[in-house]
Amino acid sequence: MPREDFIAVDHFSFFYGAKQALFDIHMDIPERQVTALIGPSGCGKSTLLRNMNRMNDLIDGVRHAGDIRLNGSSLYDPKIEVISLRKRVGMVFQKYNPFAKTIYENVVFSLRVAGRNGRRELDEVVERSLRSAALWEEVKDRLHESAFGLSGGQQQRLCIARAIANQPEILLMDEPCAALDPTATLKIESLIRDLKEQFTIVIVTHNMEQATRCSDRTAFLYMGRLIEYGSTRQIFETPRQEETEAYISGRFS
Amino acid sequence: MDSKPTSFATTGRSRKGEPFVWLTAAGLTMGVVLTLGLLGLVVTKGIQTFWPDRIQVFEIDTGAGTEKVAGYVVQERERRDPQGVDHEEIQIFRGNRELFGEKFAFFDRASIRSQEIPEDILLVERMEGGHVIARAGKILRADGTEVPANDPGFATSLDELIEKTDTKREELRRIEKIEIGRNAREVKELRSLERFEGSTPETQARLATLNEEFLKLDAERNLVRQALAGDVLLLDAVDGREIRIEAGELLHIFRPNQAGVIGRTGEMLRRVWHFLASDPREANTEGGVYPAIFGTVVMTLVMSLFVTPFGVVAAIYLREYAKQGPLVRAVRISVNNLAGVPSIVFGVFGLAFFIYFLGGVVDSWFFPRSEEPVFKSGGVLWASLTLALLTVPVVIVATEEALAAVPRGVREAALACGASKWQAIQRVVLPASLPGILTGVILAMARGAGEVAPLMLVGVVKSAPDLPIDGEAPFIHAERQFMHLGFHIYDLGFQSPDSEAAKPMVFATTLLLITIVVVMNLAAIIIRNRLRKKYATSSF
């Protein structure tokens, strides 16, 4: 039975120095579904996403209040190691960012840093991950060539393959199609729909059609607050809040 | 309706920036012209050194009669004498130091009665005394026979003589340098052992054997010397005087006025090879610069070996780990300023810290029995370390910039894959910044290879026949003093007894130094481009 509160954001606030970016966000993200975070630029959706694997720790002078729990355990428990957390939470970024390595080495990176170097295992992981990312057929003959030889859409799918190689539970996607053309975007979207069989996906997007096309739930954030959260259909068809309606109908952005 | 066509300003007013474009272009042109001029000067002068000129024989009016002088023209100049009369003078290289004392002489153009290029003039290179320019006289053999120059077999006999000399000299060198040298070293070690631990029957027996061996070698040496002695080449200078050269002194004979273009080109190549591959002679003014090439290259490579890891590690800490604040800023400014410290200061530091302190420590730990300092004196190791310190700011700055140019997204991606910070740096950030780091190393090598001042304090010497790497165990002699092309140039130009004679060598050596720096840089650039292709990134 999938958990309804697989990721539990519990009255979470977040500050960059003196500036508060998130105000008391409270929401439960269900297991093996796609949850979209939408909202105008600067509303805090990326900040929320980047807190789910504590990527914001890299920035100096940040602090938080409240908690985020992953499958019942707190991310901010001082006892947990950030590295082990990030192994359970994969992430795909706005701008595709493969490493200056071969396609093969890009995919197995998370295994290598975990000290897993068995040739057989790595080969299996590469094939499985690239197949999951719908890239296998296109690159199987040039696995040992530089990743920079791929097209933009292919590079982004390679980044997805890299993010899922180590079998995380959650996949965070920060505007994964922002730098891609429409064809590549459609490919990634259908990939997202396939991937939710295995992973709990949280996606930040600016594109409302994209949210309707591939998410099950949608959260609308505005000025660092969670305005409305519900099934994607409900949010887009019968929004309860005035700001939500204004945003989805394009009256402000 | 009347509409006025849009008018554009045509000339003048809108082009106010134009003079500044010209100004900047002029600045660049100046730089390019100066660089090309410098390179052109060095290249032409350097190549001229090796090109065999025709030897002319001048008949000169000395006032009391005429005198014949043979040689080639080195330069022309104008001189005003005390009466205010201008004279056009030519400088002639006439060699034959034993006759004239000076290898060069100036003559007034007006005093030249005639000049000719006779075919039978020889240019003779010998071990000591510089070149001889004269006509062949005869060969006096040790067995009493002689071969006069007009004998049809003279040329062959001369070639045979030189060949024989070459083999014998090589044999002599082997005996003296390798066999007797080895013997002497072992004797020294045994003596030092006896001094510290007392004499034992074994050491005495070994010393006796060594002494016997030495006597045998000495006899062998004398035999070869005798074989070298005896044969004599007599030459007739153009003024009628006779020059006597022992066959053992003969190096090479060339007939510049008979040789065609091919012959002269061959002679030039021979001279170039001789210059590159042989040891210096006669206080460095003759012979080659092989030990200096070797020393320069070894020192530069060892320096890069030290400076690269040191600089890269320091830069990684500065850029990736250190908390950016006033302290780090101060450190960074200091590092940048380190690059501007006069290099001689580094030499003094190297002398005080590396040689006196570190070298002293090393000697007292590992060579307590040695009479002479081993590491407590200048050597290639200390020189390389000193230069590594001198060039480390270059590597740090370049590495920091290369690290900063790695996109943030790439680091975040590595961390998001579960990499620790160090893993992200080591596996992703460093490979991506490798080309930039190599650029820094290339700059450091270029800087280090051309540095002279600090080296004079920490191990470079005028003459060091023993190379820092050779076939004698333990093969790498990090403590040895060495020769360096940069210092060689200084030594030739300003420290040699006959600076006029050394001038061509100065240019040739300069050309060589530039060539070596360029070659080492090119090699590094090729490696960098390979890496770049391998990790074709958008940055750099």
Side-chain angles (χ1 to χ4, degrees), chain B residues 15-270:
Chain B
R15 301 173 59 180
K16 275 188 184 137
E18 215 79 324
F20 292 96
V21 177
W22 284 103
L23 192 71
T24 49
L28 178 67
T29 315
M30 184 101 115
V32 171
V33 166
L34 283 178
T35 312
L36 289 182
L38 173 79
L39 281 179
L41 175 82
V42 171
V43 169
T44 42
K45 287 273 189 180
I47 289 175
Q48 257 174 26
T49 311
F50 299 110
W51 181 249
D53 272 326
R54 300 266 187 229
I55 289 176
Q56 306 187 44
V57 176
F58 300 91
E59 209 172 341
I60 290 171
D61 190 348
T62 55
T66 58
E67 183 195 341
K68 278 190 170 178
V69 175
Y72 50 84
V73 179
V74 181
Q75 59 163 332
E76 297 178 17
R77 71 168 186 195
E78 294 219 342
R79 189 175 62 87
R80 179 164 292 183
D81 67 11
Q83 281 81 44
V85 186
D86 284 338
H87 295 274
E88 234 180 87
E89 292 192 326
I90 52 171
Q91 189 186 22
I92 292 172
F93 173 81
R94 55 179 181 179
N96 303 5
R97 205 163 65 189
E98 62 269 67
L99 300 185
F100 305 114
E102 289 276 326
K103 292 188 207 168
F104 293 86
F106 283 101
F107 295 102
D108 199 327
R109 253 213 200 287
S111 68
I112 296 175
R113 288 283 156 270
S114 72
Q115 62 191 83
E116 53 168 346
I117 302 179
E119 291 242 310
D120 55 348
I121 290 279
L122 301 181
L123 180 66
V124 182
E125 269 175 53
R126 52 183 170 171
M127 293 287 284
E128 274 167 32
H131 290 75
V132 172
I133 294 173
R135 291 196 167 87
K138 56 188 163 192
I139 297 170
L140 298 178
R141 290 229 177 89
D143 57 11
T145 57
E146 40 181 81
V147 187
N150 51 12
D151 188 295
F154 181 78
T156 6
S157 308
L158 197 56
D159 288 346
E160 273 167 20
L161 191 64
I162 287 175
E163 209 171 297
K164 183 179 143 201
T165 317
D166 274 350
T167 23
K168 290 287 174 199
R169 200 165 23 227
E170 185 51 40
E171 213 172 315
L172 197 62
R173 206 188 66 88
R174 186 182 57 80
I175 294 172
E176 282 184 339
K177 213 168 163 179
I178 301 177
E179 311 220 352
I180 295 186
R182 189 191 298 144
N183 188 293
R185 262 193 305 280
E186 206 181 331
V187 169
K188 202 169 118 193
E189 272 166 33
L190 278 172
R191 289 252 164 85
S192 138
L193 192 72
E194 281 191 333
R195 206 174 38 256
F196 279 91
E197 297 183 356
S199 171
T200 62
E202 289 95 68
T203 56
Q204 280 165 7
R206 183 69 195 142
L207 273 173
T209 345
L210 284 171
N211 193 37
E212 255 171 59
E213 256 180 47
F214 172 75
L215 290 177
K216 244 200 303 198
L217 285 169
D218 193 41
E220 210 178 313
R221 171 167 68 174
N222 282 335
L223 221 62
V224 180
R225 275 196 185 146
Q226 266 166 28
L228 263 174
D231 296 337
V232 173
L233 176 66
L234 289 179
L235 297 161
D236 301 324
V238 285
D239 57 3
R241 284 187 278 182
E242 192 171 70
I243 297 172
R244 191 185 155 90
I245 304 176
E246 300 280 340
E249 290 281 299
L250 275 180
L251 279 178
H252 180 72
I253 292 179
F254 179 64
R255 296 176 177 80
N257 297 354
Q258 277 176 23
V261 175
I262 295 171
R264 288 162 85 189
T265 310
E267 169 70 8
M268 183 173 92
L269 294 178
R270 189 199 69 83

Side-chain angles (χ1 to χ4, degrees), chain B residues 190-491:
Chain B
L190 278 172
R191 289 252 164 85
S192 138
L193 192 72
E194 281 191 333
R195 206 174 38 256
F196 279 91
E197 297 183 356
S199 171
T200 62
E202 289 95 68
T203 56
Q204 280 165 7
R206 183 69 195 142
L207 273 173
T209 345
L210 284 171
N211 193 37
E212 255 171 59
E213 256 180 47
F214 172 75
L215 290 177
K216 244 200 303 198
L217 285 169
D218 193 41
E220 210 178 313
R221 171 167 68 174
N222 282 335
L223 221 62
V224 180
R225 275 196 185 146
Q226 266 166 28
L228 263 174
D231 296 337
V232 173
L233 176 66
L234 289 179
L235 297 161
D236 301 324
V238 285
D239 57 3
R241 284 187 278 182
E242 192 171 70
I243 297 172
R244 191 185 155 90
I245 304 176
E246 300 280 340
E249 290 281 299
L250 275 180
L251 279 178
H252 180 72
I253 292 179
F254 179 64
R255 296 176 177 80
N257 297 354
Q258 277 176 23
V261 175
I262 295 171
R264 288 162 85 189
T265 310
E267 169 70 8
M268 183 173 92
L269 294 178
R270 189 199 69 83
R271 286 182 186 179
V272 170
W273 174 247
H274 183 69
F275 178 66
L276 295 179
S278 60
D279 288 348
R281 286 180 285 115
E282 303 207 44
N284 294 348
T285 54
E286 300 281 337
V289 293
Y290 176 68
I293 300 176
F294 197 88
T296 309
V297 172
V298 166
M299 186 209 67
T300 311
L301 293 182
V302 174
M303 177 205 78
S304 339
L305 236 54
F306 284 123
V307 77
T308 312
F310 185 28
V312 169
V313 166
I316 288 176
Y317 188 82
L318 262 185
R319 170 64 54 181
E320 305 283 338
Y321 287 103
K323 200 166 152 59
Q324 305 296 321
L327 185 65
V328 165
R329 214 170 312 138
V331 169
R332 195 168 284 138
I333 290 170
S334 312
V335 166
N336 287 342
N337 282 339
L338 211 56
V341 172
S343 54
I344 190 79
V345 174
F346 285 93
V348 173
F349 175 80
L351 183 68
F353 180 71
F354 290 129
I355 297 181
Y356 291 158
F357 176 69
L358 273 188
V361 171
V362 170
D363 271 8
S364 64
W365 284 359
F366 298 101
F367 306 96
R369 288 173 179 180
S370 170
E371 271 174 83
E372 306 131 21
V374 181
F375 278 95
K376 203 183 169 179
S377 73
V380 70
L381 176 69
W382 301 139
S384 303
L385 278 171
T386 306
L387 280 195
L389 267 189
L390 178 91
T391 51
V392 83
V394 181
V395 178
I396 291 182
V397 169
T399 307
E400 270 214 76
E401 269 165 28
L403 292 174
V406 175
R408 210 176 85 154
V410 174
R411 284 161 210 273
E412 288 186 342
L415 295 172
C417 283
S420 66
K421 188 159 185 180
W422 171 243
Q423 281 175 323
I425 292 171
Q426 177 208 353
R427 287 165 190 258
V428 176
V429 177
L430 271 187
S433 46
L434 211 48
I437 294 173
L438 270 174
T439 305
V441 175
I442 291 167
L443 288 175
M445 278 169 72
R447 169 104 203 262
E451 199 59 71
V452 179
L455 295 178
M456 299 200 285
L457 299 179
V458 292
V460 162
V461 286
K462 182 186 174 78
S463 170
D466 292 327
L467 301 177
I469 298 175
D470 64 14
E472 178 200 317
F475 309 115
I476 296 170
H477 310 278
E479 80 287 357
R480 276 194 188 161
Q481 297 187 316
F482 63 108
M483 291 176 72
H484 184 275
L485 283 171
F487 179 71
H488 199 76
I489 293 169
Y490 165 74
D491 180 59

Side-chain angles (χ1 to χ4, degrees), chain A residues 218-222 225-230 234-249 251-252:
Chain A
T218 298
F220 173 60
L221 281 85
Y222 182 54
R225 290 171 209 279
L226 180 64
I227 304 297
E228 194 169 354
Y229 178 44
Q234 177 259 309
I235 293 283
F236 281 95
E237 286 176 6
T238 54
R240 294 195 188 102
Q241 302 293 328
E242 226 171 278
E243 291 103 323
T244 315
E245 197 185 347
Y247 180 67
I248 59 178
S249 58
R251 267 183 276 150
F252 69 89

